[in-house]
Amino acid sequence: MRLSRVRFGVLTGSLGTVVLLLGMSNASAESSVSVAPDPIPVTAEQSAALVQVSWSGLEPRQLVFVDICRKSISDSSFTVAEDCGAYSGLTPNGSAAGEGSAELEVFRGQDPAGEAWGCYAEADTAPAGVIKYTTCFVRVTDTTVLNVDSDSETPIRFEGAGRVDPGTSATTGAGPPPPQLPSSGSSSSALAGPSTVDDAEALQFAGSDSGAGVAITG
Amino acid sequence: MKLKSLIGAALVAGTLLSGTAMTSMAGATAPEPSGWDDVNDRVVGTGSDTTYPFMQRAELLFNQATGCDTDNASPAASPATYNLGKCLTVGQNATNVLGNWDHDVFASTYPTGSSAGVTALKNGQVDYARSSRGPKSTGESALNFWAFGKDGLIMVTWGNRTPGNLTKAEIQGIYNCTITDWSSIAGQAAGTIEPVGMNASSGTKATFDTYLGFDANSGACKKSLTTGAYPFENDLKPLVADTVISQDNGIWWMSAAAYKAFSYQRQTAAAWTVDGKSATAGTIANNTYPITRFIYHVTKKTDATAAAASAEITGADTGPGGAVRELTEFMCKPSASHTNNDYSGKSNYIELGTAYTQTGFIRVPAAEQTNGICKLVPGA
């Protein structure tokens, strides 16, 4: 599941443009990213899940930025500061090959930094005033988090029984609850079995959250 | 712009802002809203290198923030009484008191180091200070340290050394010179370790000293630049350019925020895990990363202070001190108390959020906030 800016542009353009840009896309180095498992299985109790993020095509030996975002990078209004979780990213060292992988804890529920959005399973209930995204995105880029020349993304979705999200401390005024990960048995199963989804599906996911798929609950 | 916060709070609370009430609060005369000196003060701060990029951005946003309608007439013949762009005292139509009413102007001077900035503030040489360390145990009782963000310290190597993990004991051993060869560290190729020191006024050094339990510059094996000076924090360029410091055997520490945000300063630095933990925003936020710290905006207590758990900043009412109070409130108030930036149309809370992202810091986590979205640590 990968969706670089170039490729997204390719797939959303007119047919003629698609053919032209596909050639450009294939000729240029572009990054890609995938997440396993996909979708992410969760129990009703889980407020976070561990996934394996794998990337390639980044600038060699440059710092890598892995972030969880509510909007697609193809959305013209996307900004890292407003649309990616401030507390949920990783910054692994880059490799000589520009590829690598890392274990990422994906939050299920309100953004841990307390902003008024979150990533949810379809059956989840978000706190009042918190925008419920049933598709979020894992974005990778290199050198600086603001670098949009190397970034790519993949959509992520939770699949499982619904949960009522109490919200983060910024919403509730209480201390932050520790993330509830699955037990060791289910954790290993959550990281097993990487699946692949083609770009057409990626476009569907992106479309659902940039339009009618966004739900405001409460 | 001095009692604006009180007025802003009253506005937020839905209090009717009658001219009588306003005048009473401010002890000032019409036009309303008043309570300020209607003069755009020029206010200067200095100190930390680490927080310099953030404060420059925050100051720009505050300088741009909405305020009074100004007197734009050409300078009068008596310049001593003239203040360009002061608030109109007649025909004032502006009402938004949640920005920068007086259009006070803030500027950060080039970094001198946190402790040098704090000292300059104590001496009255500047109006506020930037600090990447908290207050010392004594000698700073006249100051308030307003934590507006959080950071971590990371251990870095560069050149061809591949990062691994360091324990606290290993870091202490490297800097007290009891661990002298990389072969003592799991998975590392042999080579004489060259621990590099840091500018003594640096808050990043002060934080690291506290973590170590001793002065990082005190070990016999520590390295300085060929010039004999210790490098300023976070900037690897002088170390990379130095002909004496080994590129493959040196080790240093940096602000995690600066490391993430400024690739030119970072050069080829690569971060190590400490006690098995990576310095991510999440591990810094929840303190599971072992070396975290707050970053501070420092004021005189007489200029800006607050009651326990209150987001209301009180203190000076006039002059640069009052302006400092207003900037402090601007940085520490929650989203709902901000208005939009006149240039972007976005809330100044969001604009400040962008400044955090651009400079690598995170806001103070909710569980650690004491006043608004800041954590107030009074000096002792």
Side-chain angles (χ1 to χ4, degrees), chain A residues 81-101:
Chain A
E82 294 177 54
D83 299 318
C84 300
Y87 293 175
S88 54
L90 302 176
T91 48
N93 293 315
S95 69
E99 63 186 26
S101 65

Side-chain angles (χ1 to χ4, degrees), chain B residues 75-234:
Chain B
S78 177
T81 61
Y82 184 76
N83 181 270
L84 185 63
K86 69 180 181 181
C87 296
L88 282 172
T89 54
V90 176
Q92 182 60 251
N93 293 315
T95 57
N96 186 336
V97 294
L98 296 178
N100 176 4
W101 178 261
D102 282 345
H103 302 292
D104 295 322
V105 180
F106 281 76
S108 275
T109 66
Y110 193 74
T112 53
S114 297
S115 292
V118 168
T119 300
L121 178 62
K122 286 170 60 180
N123 293 345
Q125 294 154 331
V126 293
D127 303 301
Y128 62 104
R130 308 184 302 267
S131 182
S132 61
R133 64 155 174 87
K136 292 182 176 176
S137 55
T138 60
E140 295 172 352
S141 60
L143 306 180
N144 272 334
F145 287 67
W146 304 85
F148 60 87
K150 207 168 177 188
D151 189 15
L153 296 187
I154 56 169
M155 303 306 302
V156 298
T157 53
W158 54 100
N160 290 317
R161 187 158 296 280
T162 301
N165 179 69
L166 289 167
T167 65
K168 180 174 183 177
E170 287 172 334
I171 296 169
Q172 289 171 318
I174 288 170
Y175 271 88
N176 71 17
C177 309
T178 58
I179 297 175
T180 58
D181 197 282
W182 281 109
S183 59
S184 300
I185 307 299
Q188 294 297 312
T192 301
I193 300 175
E194 298 191 1
V196 181
M198 190 174 289
N199 163 37
S201 287
S202 163
T204 299
K205 177 181 179 295
T207 304
F208 191 59
D209 287 352
T210 300
Y211 172 73
L212 290 177
F214 57 85
D215 179 354
N217 290 349
S218 65
C221 62
K222 59 92 176 48
K223 294 288 183 181
S224 57
L225 299 173
T226 302
T227 60
Y230 290 114
F232 250 67
E233 61 268 37
N234 307 325

Side-chain angles (χ1 to χ4, degrees), chain A residues 61-63 65 77 79-82 86-91 93 113 115 142-146 169-170 174-176, chain B residues 163 259-261 263 266 269-272 279-282 285 346 349-350 353-354 357-358 362-367:
Chain A
R61 296 187 181 83
Q62 287 295 325
L63 193 60
F65 293 81
S77 67
T79 69
V80 174
E82 294 177 54
Y87 293 175
S88 54
L90 302 176
T91 48
N93 293 315
E115 300 302 327
D142 61 55
T143 311
T144 79
V145 73
L146 303 174
S169 54
Chain B
Y259 172 79
K260 284 195 302 180
S263 59
R266 181 175 73 231
W272 290 56
T280 69
K346 294 180 178 178
Y349 180 84
I350 290 175
T354 299
T357 301
Q358 290 171 332
I362 57 173
R363 282 190 160 106
V364 175

Side-chain angles (χ1 to χ4, degrees), chain A residues 2-208:
Chain A
R2 52 190 68 86
L3 185 64
S4 70
R5 284 174 191 273
V6 173
R7 188 166 295 174
F8 188 86
V10 166
L11 293 171
T12 54
S14 66
L15 184 58
T17 306
V18 166
V19 173
L20 175 62
L21 289 180
L22 271 173
M24 293 171 62
S25 173
N26 291 336
S28 64
E30 67 180 76
S31 69
S32 66
V33 56
S34 63
V35 168
D38 174 23
I40 304 165
V42 286
T43 64
E45 293 75 31
Q46 269 183 260
S47 61
L50 293 175
V51 301
Q52 195 71 27
V53 181
S54 302
W55 61 86
S56 62
L58 294 178
E59 197 67 28
R61 296 187 181 83
Q62 287 295 325
L63 193 60
V64 176
F65 293 81
V66 181
D67 285 286
I68 300 169
C69 308
R70 61 174 170 170
K71 286 183 185 173
S72 168
I73 58 177
S74 63
D75 187 319
S76 60
S77 67
F78 171 85
T79 69
V80 174
E82 294 177 54
D83 299 318
C84 300
Y87 293 175
S88 54
L90 302 176
T91 48
N93 293 315
S95 69
E99 63 186 26
S101 65
E103 188 175 72
L104 175 69
E105 184 180 298
V106 181
F107 61 90
R108 176 203 190 183
Q110 187 179 2
D111 168 36
E115 300 302 327
W117 63 275
C119 302
Y120 292 90
E122 290 280 359
D124 288 348
T125 302
V130 173
I131 302 175
K132 174 184 171 181
Y133 289 87
T134 55
T135 302
C136 286
F137 298 85
V138 170
R139 171 187 183 260
V140 298
T141 191
D142 61 55
T143 311
T144 79
V145 73
L146 303 174
N147 178 10
V148 297
D149 294 328
S150 297
D151 63 350
S152 59
E153 69 182 3
T154 187
I156 54 172
R157 293 175 301 153
F158 293 109
E159 192 171 75
R163 170 178 179 269
V164 177
D165 178 23
T168 65
S169 54
T171 303
T172 62
Q180 296 299 309
L181 292 165
S183 63
S184 56
S186 53
S187 176
S188 60
S189 113
L191 287 172
S195 61
T196 56
V197 181
D198 65 21
D199 285 336
E201 287 177 88
L203 283 170
Q204 287 180 342
F205 299 148
S208 69

